[in-house]
Amino acid sequence: FVTECGCMPEKDGLVQSISQYASQTPYDYHVSALFMETAFSGWMKDIPSIVGFAWWHVRDPFNFYEGETESEAETVYKKYVGGGLI
């Protein structure tokens, strides 16, 4: 089966699907990094029926990086995907 989850890079991004702060405050990529770390090292790894994933949206409102500087979330993403951990 296919399911999805997501996280907005906003200060309430871990507790609400759609942030009440969307586009009102600077992005908080630490929130996205926490979500990725939890998903990639926890439940995605431990559920045998999960055979892959697609991070389908890298622009607003679910982006996890922007610009030339690597964000904390981009670093976590590369650690798991690029490092072959998932």
Side-chain angles (χ1 to χ4, degrees):
F1 65 91
V2 176
T3 189
E4 68 179 75
C5 60
C7 174
M8 293 177 73
E10 306 284 356
K11 60 185 174 181
D12 62 348
L14 294 174
V15 295
Q16 298 193 128
S17 297
I18 303 297
S19 173
Q20 66 178 345
Y21 301 101
S23 302
Q24 296 176 10
T25 59
Y27 289 128
D28 186 348
Y29 295 114
H30 179 68
V31 171
S32 301
L34 289 172
F35 174 82
M36 288 179 182
E37 189 72 45
T38 300
F40 295 159
S41 69
W43 56 267
M44 283 181 73
K45 175 178 68 78
D46 295 336
I47 300 175
S49 61
I50 295 177
V51 295
F53 79 97
W55 195 277
W56 60 269
H57 205 304
V58 296
R59 291 193 173 87
D60 288 336
F62 299 103
N63 53 324
F64 62 92
Y65 71 92
E66 65 183 315
E68 299 295 318
T69 305
E70 187 169 295
S71 71
E72 182 180 356
E74 188 177 5
T75 301
V76 172
Y77 186 85
K78 287 179 177 179
K79 173 178 123 181
Y80 283 93
V81 176
L85 298 176
I86 57 170

